[in-house]
């Protein structure tokens, strides 16, 4: 920013915006200073200010009690904002952040089903199955999806059984088993029999989950027989825990 820009009205506004966002993200600032900065950003009531305000969720303050109180306070204040401001801001924030769980809660509370899926579809396109240096946002997205009662969810989760990150794959397995949709049997068995799958805990979790669901897996006997270990038995139709 040049001197001419700095002393212009737009320049002063940008400088003020940046200052408040910096304070909001400062874990060592006084809580009162962060509250003041958050109030100022709320008063600006523009999408860049709200995106900056949401960055408070990405930081853990040095005092845990204050951190929890501030995030709870901000969550409630965001719920009171106009939809045409908070939802575009939420989408922009989630596409650029690795810590999206709080903001997805705001979306869940405020958005219509169509509005929520507009944001989720954008996030799924941004975080497809594939390598990411930090998969935390992907896991938070899948955690949010798991709680949605929609026929699309099991098929979306099944796609992440192919993710290169073992933690993401394991989460997808647990989510599919928790939902318990019968059409997930094929993808789960395919993962179980994939020769590239080197995670013992993942294979064990699939076997345990299928046993507890009591599903008939007789159509997949060859895969099950090869995968069965000391913790399970297979009678040709059902897997059982020892």
């Amino acid at each position: 920013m040049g001197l001419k820009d700095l002393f212009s009205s737009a320049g002063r506004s940008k400088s003020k915006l940046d200052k408040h966002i910096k304070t909001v993200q400062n874990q060592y600032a006084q809580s009162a200073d962060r509250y003041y900065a958050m109030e100022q950003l709320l008063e600006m009531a523009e999408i860049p200010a709200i995106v900056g305000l949401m960055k408070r969720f990405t930081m853990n303050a040095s005092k845990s009690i204050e951190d929890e109180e501030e995030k709870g306070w901000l969550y409630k204040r965001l719920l009171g904002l106009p939809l045409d401001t908070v939802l575009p801001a939420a989408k922009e924030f989630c596409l650029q952040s690795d810590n999206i769980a709080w903001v997805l809660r705001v979306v869940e509370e405020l958005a219509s089903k169509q509005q929520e899926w507009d944001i989720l579809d954008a996030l799924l396109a941004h975080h497809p199955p594939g390598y990411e240096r930090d998969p935390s946002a992907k896991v938070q997205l899948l955690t949010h999806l798991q709680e949605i009662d929609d026929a699309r969810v099991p098929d979306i989760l099944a796609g992440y059984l192919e993710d290169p990150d073992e933690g993401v794959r394991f989460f997808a397995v647990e989510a599919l088993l928790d939902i318990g949709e019968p059409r997930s049997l094929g993808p789960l068995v395919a993962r179980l029999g994939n020769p590239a799958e080197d995670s013992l805990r993942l294979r064990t979790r699939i076997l345990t989950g299928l046993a507890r669901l009591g599903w008939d897996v007789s159509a997949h006997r060859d895969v099950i027989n090869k995968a069965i270990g000391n913790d399970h038995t297979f009678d040709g139709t059902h897997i059982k825990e020892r």
Side-chain angles (χ1 to χ4, degrees):
M1 183 182 295
L3 286 177
K4 182 178 180 181
D5 293 330
L6 181 63
F7 290 105
S8 70
S9 177
R12 290 194 299 272
S13 296
K14 178 67 165 57
S15 178
K16 184 179 179 181
L17 174 67
D18 292 343
K19 176 183 176 181
H20 291 319
I21 293 174
K22 184 176 180 179
T23 301
V24 160
Q25 294 182 278
N26 185 353
Q27 67 182 126
Y28 300 110
Q30 295 295 314
S31 181
D33 292 336
R34 285 195 297 267
Y35 272 117
Y36 176 78
M38 287 191 288
E39 289 279 15
Q40 294 302 302
L41 291 170
L42 283 166
E43 285 186 13
M44 291 179 183
E46 297 177 347
I47 290 174
I50 304 307
V51 172
L53 181 62
M54 290 173 173
K55 292 180 180 179
R56 175 62 187 85
F57 293 126
T58 69
M59 179 273 290
N60 293 322
S62 56
K63 297 180 180 179
S64 59
I65 295 178
E66 289 181 351
D67 184 69
E68 183 178 346
E69 290 176 347
E70 289 175 29
K71 287 175 179 173
W73 177 89
L74 176 56
Y75 170 76
K76 292 177 182 177
R77 292 298 299 271
L78 289 172
L79 294 182
L81 294 179
L83 292 184
D84 59 358
T85 299
V86 70
L87 293 182
K91 184 176 183 179
E92 182 176 333
F93 169 82
C94 287
L95 288 171
Q96 62 183 228
S97 176
D98 291 329
N99 196 332
I100 62 177
W102 274 97
V103 174
L104 286 178
R105 286 176 58 192
V106 173
V107 172
E108 179 183 21
E109 188 70 26
L110 293 178
S112 67
K113 185 174 182 178
Q114 181 176 344
Q115 289 169 329
E116 183 175 16
W117 274 104
D118 174 66
I119 293 172
L120 294 176
D121 284 339
L123 285 171
L124 288 165
H126 192 64
H127 298 287
Y131 173 77
E132 290 188 27
R133 182 185 59 81
D134 181 1
S136 57
K138 186 183 294 184
V139 173
Q140 291 168 57
L141 171 60
L142 297 182
T143 300
H144 184 82
L145 278 168
Q146 181 188 4
E147 301 300 320
I148 297 177
D149 183 15
D150 190 288
R152 288 169 283 184
V153 171
D155 293 335
I156 293 172
L157 290 168
Y160 288 86
L161 294 173
E162 302 300 321
D163 196 90
D165 185 88
E166 192 268 355
V168 173
R169 296 197 308 276
F170 190 83
F171 180 88
V173 166
E174 293 222 297
L176 288 170
L177 291 169
D178 182 62
I179 293 171
E181 174 59 49
R183 72 174 185 274
S184 298
L185 174 60
L188 287 167
V189 172
R191 191 70 232 171
L192 182 66
N194 190 322
E197 183 51 71
D198 58 0
S199 171
L200 176 60
R201 72 162 186 155
L202 186 146
R203 296 197 304 270
T204 301
R205 183 68 186 92
I206 292 175
L207 290 168
T208 298
L210 295 178
R212 292 177 181 177
L213 286 169
W215 284 348
D216 180 343
V217 293
S218 57
H220 307 281
R221 288 178 185 174
D222 290 345
V223 174
I224 303 301
N225 279 323
K226 289 179 181 179
I228 210 76
N230 296 327
D231 296 329
H232 303 87
T233 62
F234 179 48
D235 62 10
T237 302
H238 298 97
I239 302 168
K240 297 186 183 298
E241 296 179 84
R242 289 187 186 275

